[in-house]
Amino acid sequence: MKNPISVSLLDLAIITQDSNASETFQKTKDIAQLADTLGYKRFWLAEHHNMAHVASTATVVLIGYVASQTKNIRVGSGGIMLPNHSPLVVAEQFGTLETLYPNRIDLGLGRAPGTDQPTAEAIRKDFFDQAQRFPQNVSKLQEYFSSENATGKVRAFPAEGLKVPIWILGSSMDSAALAAAYGLPYAFAGHFAPKLMIQAFEFYRQNFQASEFLDKPKTMACVNIIAADTNEEAELLSTSLYQMFLNLIRNDRKGLQPPVPSLDDIMNEQERFHVNQMTAGTFTGNKEQLETDLKKFIDYARIDELMVTSPIFNHQAKLKSIQITKEAIDSLNKSIHI
């Protein structure tokens, strides 16, 4: 690590077992307010559909809610799945957010539907055509935000002339290529698809074209972090995360499950292999363990920013994890200057 690294949070608004959306949104507010107090840089919300235990369906509404309940932290999308939406409407929505909360809004864009195929088609009949048009739609969105569009036949109010940072999100080489070609910051979904992360970052850096938005590459990795006072407690808490991914590959739609003493009785070897692949971007432990492991990762991945998601069943344990994670990053950053 040569430079201090900022840390941010990604919230999926995951509904825990025996809870509901209302309670989940209250928890999201609590988490965002804690992150704001602790000095986290960003708080991003995802877009998912037709998942009974993921409440972040109306991403823009949640961003507005969180921004209204916090003071300094940047609030944004991780991400808006652009093929689901008209670029004009996205520009209007995020222009409105930026007008209400100046210099605090981020717009992360993804190409995937954030759901299954029938739901993607229910959201938008031509979803798959729009997914192919993702680069053109990113350009269209940029056009709506530009002052130059004042002479256009179709204008986005109140977005026009506002500088809402656009990030390209992804888990593949395609997203890396697009972010590099457009000169935009690039965030990788290492919390569920870490396999190509290092390769994608290298490609992005090597092929980056400077733009009016960015003069050099800017990378962010999103990872899972489960922190606690002891390594043993963190390991126990992390079993909820592994159960979540196990249920995902089984297509077993359950709320986030409580921790279990052992995963050995729950999954077979084949399932364990797939779960381990998806969760390779996971860091578990106490502050000292995290400090050691995160330094290695940050040095290896050469990232500029770190984003964290923490699927932890108990709300107070999750708040504690977020606090310990920030302490670990702060300690890392102090060591740079010693």
Side-chain angles (χ1 to χ4, degrees), residues 228-292:
D229 287 329
T230 67
N231 289 339
E232 292 75 21
E233 185 186 354
E235 285 294 333
L236 177 62
L237 293 175
S238 74
T239 59
S240 296
L241 163 76
Y242 294 111
Q243 290 179 82
M244 181 179 81
F245 280 95
L246 175 64
N247 290 333
L248 189 65
I249 63 174
R250 287 177 174 174
N251 196 26
D252 185 1
R253 302 189 176 201
K254 291 180 180 176
L256 188 67
Q257 300 293 294
V260 292
S262 172
L263 293 166
D264 293 339
D265 299 330
I266 296 176
M267 64 178 92
N268 61 40
E269 284 303 311
Q270 186 178 9
E271 288 172 333
R272 183 180 289 276
F273 173 78
H274 290 299
V275 168
N276 287 346
Q277 276 202 318
M278 296 175 77
T279 58
T282 300
F283 299 87
T284 304
N286 62 15
K287 180 191 158 192
E288 292 73 26
Q289 185 69 52
L290 285 180
E291 203 176 326
T292 300

Side-chain angles (χ1 to χ4, degrees), residues 31-275:
I31 294 163
Q33 289 177 335
L34 176 64
D36 195 20
T37 304
L38 292 173
Y40 275 76
K41 185 170 185 177
R42 310 176 195 276
F43 190 91
W44 284 5
L45 293 136
E47 177 186 347
H48 292 95
H49 302 283
N50 198 30
M51 298 180 185
H53 300 286
V54 179
S56 57
T57 53
T59 316
V60 173
V61 179
L62 276 183
I63 291 170
Y65 171 61
V66 168
S68 76
Q69 301 296 310
T70 51
K71 294 178 181 176
N72 301 305
I73 197 166
R74 297 190 65 88
V75 188
S77 58
I80 289 293
M81 301 295 105
L82 192 53
N84 291 343
H85 310 280
S86 151
L88 173 64
V89 173
V90 172
E92 290 170 339
Q93 290 172 338
F94 277 80
T96 300
L97 287 168
E98 176 66 19
T99 303
L100 289 167
Y101 310 102
N103 303 312
R104 289 186 56 207
I105 301 299
D106 294 328
L107 175 51
L109 299 173
R111 186 200 305 255
T115 189
D116 53 76
Q117 184 171 333
T119 309
E121 291 174 354
I123 292 168
R124 190 167 187 173
K125 287 293 181 192
D126 64 341
F127 169 83
F128 295 99
D129 290 337
Q130 292 302 323
Q132 297 303 312
R133 290 185 53 79
F134 183 59
Q136 294 94 318
N137 285 337
V138 172
S139 295
K140 197 69 185 170
L141 190 51
Q142 290 176 313
E143 185 182 310
Y144 286 133
F145 276 113
S146 72
S147 300
E148 290 74 24
N149 199 50
T151 57
K153 286 185 178 179
V154 179
R155 299 170 66 185
F157 301 109
E160 202 171 277
L162 296 184
K163 299 188 185 307
V164 178
I166 292 177
W167 288 71
I168 299 299
L169 316 184
S171 57
S172 70
M173 303 308 290
D174 287 345
S175 54
L178 178 63
Y182 279 40
L184 292 172
Y186 180 47
F188 196 94
H191 60 298
F192 72 87
K195 188 175 181 181
L196 294 173
M197 180 160 51
I198 302 303
Q199 188 181 346
F201 282 149
E202 286 301 315
F203 183 91
Y204 167 72
R205 281 188 282 262
Q206 289 168 9
N207 293 278
F208 181 83
Q209 303 288 317
S211 69
E212 62 179 294
F213 310 104
L214 206 57
D215 59 354
K216 61 181 181 180
K218 186 174 186 177
T219 54
M220 181 197 292
C222 186
V223 298
N224 300 300
I225 294 185
I226 311 294
D229 287 329
T230 67
N231 289 339
E232 292 75 21
E233 185 186 354
E235 285 294 333
L236 177 62
L237 293 175
S238 74
T239 59
S240 296
L241 163 76
Y242 294 111
Q243 290 179 82
M244 181 179 81
F245 280 95
L246 175 64
N247 290 333
L248 189 65
I249 63 174
R250 287 177 174 174
N251 196 26
D252 185 1
R253 302 189 176 201
K254 291 180 180 176
L256 188 67
Q257 300 293 294
V260 292
S262 172
L263 293 166
D264 293 339
D265 299 330
I266 296 176
M267 64 178 92
N268 61 40
E269 284 303 311
Q270 186 178 9
E271 288 172 333
R272 183 180 289 276
F273 173 78
H274 290 299
V275 168

